Amino acid sequence: MSQATLTEYEGQTGPTGFQPDLPDREYSWQDESASMAGLDVVMPDVSHRGNPGVVSVGGDRTLRANEFGYVVGGLDEYLEQHRDEEIEIPVYYSRFEEEGEGYLGGVTAANGSFGVGATPRRLEAAVRAATGGGSFSASETEVIGCGKHPFIVRNGQGAFVFTTVDLERPDSFDLDSHPRHEVADLSVPEDVKEVRKGISFAKTALAEEFDIEIASHVTLSDGFHHFETVNGRRLRIKGYHLKRLSGVVRDAGQITGQMAYEDPWGETFEAEVTDVEYHLGRPMARRGKPVHRRPRNDRVVGFARTWFDPRRSSRVSLSSEVQAKMVYVRLQLSVDQSGMITADRETHTETVDGRRPENKREEATWKGI
């Protein structure tokens, strides 16, 4: 199959003997490089197979085309910043499932699991992708774990980068010995800074809007961070919700004023947020009732603003408006039979302004852009 090649390889940091040609594969490579985790990479071109497309890498292993790439720049700097350890791999593909130990690159509840890294199956797929599915020499194949960041596979064909996957808690893993971060006077085992920022936000919001004061962090389990309050009660919040809280502000003044959005085709949209309708602490459940009769377990805790472009959504519309949105972020509390409090992030969104775009590009298909 014919291969697309790049004409420029600025900053190439491949191994000795590297040639500025893309590895020969049964699929084509994209004509232009892209950025992945700060690396300059070329990804498989499988646009004809759907979005994002799936690549067979040998055996029964597959990878999505947006999950890996061939590194053409920035590798030295990336490894200097993120390199963690070299991952040992078996000598045969057939032994990955039995002998491979996998790699835990970071502890986080960000995606509803315990951590991120690479399973033995993921490592096998990565090695297959780096060799083109053919035989390999474990001694000449370097697999480099980079913490919670994408990992690297390097061999005689060059360097390849692969995204990490979500992992469950490994057997006998000692969470107490994992490095902790100080977050709002709490000691927390969480390696993603956005989740840590969300924990700080949630602690303040719970104290000021619900009179619930978190005293300590208890554990990370099943995608939740668990806490204990000063009254001895248990409270949990999904890591995914905490991560989403990281970009929220509590001062309404920070999101009022002008806002602008430039679409991928150079058209600019502007709007102005003049005021907020629902202030901090406002009960949001059953809004058809008077405020004093609404449940007190669902309150506004912060604000955000965003743009909605119908040409870029999963359900593309070329006739709808590009809209500026005001987002009221809430925490909704519930209690189970054991007395455990669960805090969920919810939102209420209102349109500030909108207009139809002049440019309705054909690239905006039903799958979005």
Side-chain angles (χ1 to χ4, degrees):
M1 179 176 290
S2 62
Q3 300 293 308
T5 59
L6 296 182
T7 57
E8 296 183 3
Y9 279 76
E10 296 183 2
Q12 172 62 42
T13 53
T16 302
F18 171 79
Q19 298 297 322
D21 291 318
L22 301 176
D24 187 33
R25 296 291 185 268
E26 292 185 359
Y27 49 84
S28 299
W29 296 98
Q30 294 184 7
D31 293 330
E32 297 181 358
S33 63
S35 178
M36 181 176 178
L39 289 165
D40 194 19
V41 305
V42 183
M43 294 182 172
D45 182 7
V46 291
S47 56
H48 61 286
R49 306 184 190 184
N51 186 15
V54 174
V55 174
S56 175
V57 294
D60 62 348
R61 300 296 184 250
T62 60
L63 290 168
R64 290 191 179 276
N66 59 0
E67 294 178 339
F68 75 104
Y70 183 71
V71 180
V72 295
L75 183 61
D76 288 345
E77 296 83 356
Y78 181 82
L79 291 178
E80 182 178 355
Q81 183 176 1
H82 300 303
R83 183 175 189 140
D84 178 33
E85 64 181 67
E86 185 168 348
I87 304 170
E88 294 187 9
I89 57 174
V91 295
Y92 301 112
Y93 289 127
S94 60
R95 295 183 181 178
F96 271 85
E97 292 280 10
E98 296 179 1
E99 300 178 5
E101 296 183 357
Y103 168 70
L104 179 64
V107 168
T108 179
N111 298 322
S113 60
F114 179 81
V116 294
T119 62
R121 188 181 183 92
R122 185 69 163 190
L123 293 174
E124 179 192 341
V127 173
R128 285 182 179 276
T131 62
S135 60
F136 73 99
S137 168
S139 62
E140 297 178 2
T141 302
E142 187 179 19
V143 183
I144 307 169
C146 296
K148 62 182 182 292
H149 305 280
F151 63 96
I152 301 294
V153 177
R154 186 160 51 179
N155 58 21
Q157 298 185 45
F160 302 78
V161 60
F162 301 85
T163 59
T164 56
V165 295
D166 298 329
L167 300 176
E168 297 303 320
R169 183 170 179 167
D171 295 337
S172 72
F173 181 83
D174 184 8
L175 184 61
D176 292 334
S177 67
H178 187 78
R180 292 181 171 241
H181 299 267
E182 294 302 312
V183 182
D185 297 324
L186 302 173
S187 180
V188 180
E190 174 56 63
D191 293 332
V192 174
K193 65 179 180 180
E194 290 84 3
V195 178
R196 298 197 299 267
K197 186 176 179 181
I199 290 173
S200 180
F201 181 98
K203 184 184 178 187
T204 299
L206 287 165
E208 296 186 2
E209 312 309 336
F210 296 91
D211 198 26
I212 296 176
E213 187 174 348
I214 292 177
S216 62
H217 183 273
V218 178
T219 190
L220 187 165
S221 176
D222 298 324
F224 287 87
H225 275 288
H226 292 248
F227 306 90
E228 184 172 332
T229 72
V230 293
N231 296 325
R233 299 189 67 178
R234 290 285 292 271
L235 180 146
R236 65 178 187 172
I237 312 176
K238 282 186 177 181
Y240 171 77
H241 288 177
L242 290 166
K243 185 177 181 180
R244 297 292 298 274
L245 288 173
S246 67
V248 179
V249 300
R250 287 181 52 78
D251 180 4
Q254 292 183 249
I255 50 87
T256 54
Q258 294 289 330
M259 56 187 294
Y261 160 67
E262 182 177 347
D263 70 15
W265 306 287
E267 187 174 356
T268 300
F269 302 81
E270 297 181 347
E272 182 178 7
V273 178
T274 57
D275 197 5
V276 297
E277 181 176 354
Y278 305 110
H279 295 273
L280 292 178
R282 181 71 174 266
M284 295 297 285
R286 301 179 184 175
R287 286 190 296 279
K289 293 182 176 293
V291 173
H292 67 278
R293 295 182 58 188
R294 298 177 187 174
R296 318 305 287 181
N297 67 321
D298 185 342
R299 300 187 179 206
V300 174
V301 297
F303 314 96
R305 63 187 190 183
T306 188
W307 287 90
F308 170 73
D309 188 336
R311 300 163 298 174
R312 307 188 72 182
S313 70
S314 59
R315 296 183 178 180
V316 168
S317 170
L318 301 184
S319 60
S320 301
E321 293 182 330
V322 173
Q323 297 177 334
K325 299 282 189 178
M326 176 69 184
V327 183
Y328 296 90
V329 180
R330 306 136 49 196
L331 282 181
Q332 186 180 83
L333 307 187
S334 60
V335 182
D336 64 16
Q337 292 182 345
S338 70
M340 170 79 76
I341 303 170
T342 299
D344 291 316
R345 171 194 174 275
E346 302 288 348
T347 60
H348 172 72
T349 304
E350 294 196 352
T351 300
V352 176
D353 198 0
R355 69 175 174 84
R356 292 185 178 180
E358 296 178 3
N359 198 336
K360 302 175 182 178
R361 299 285 293 201
E362 293 181 358
E363 288 94 325
T365 67
W366 69 273
K367 290 180 179 177
I369 53 176

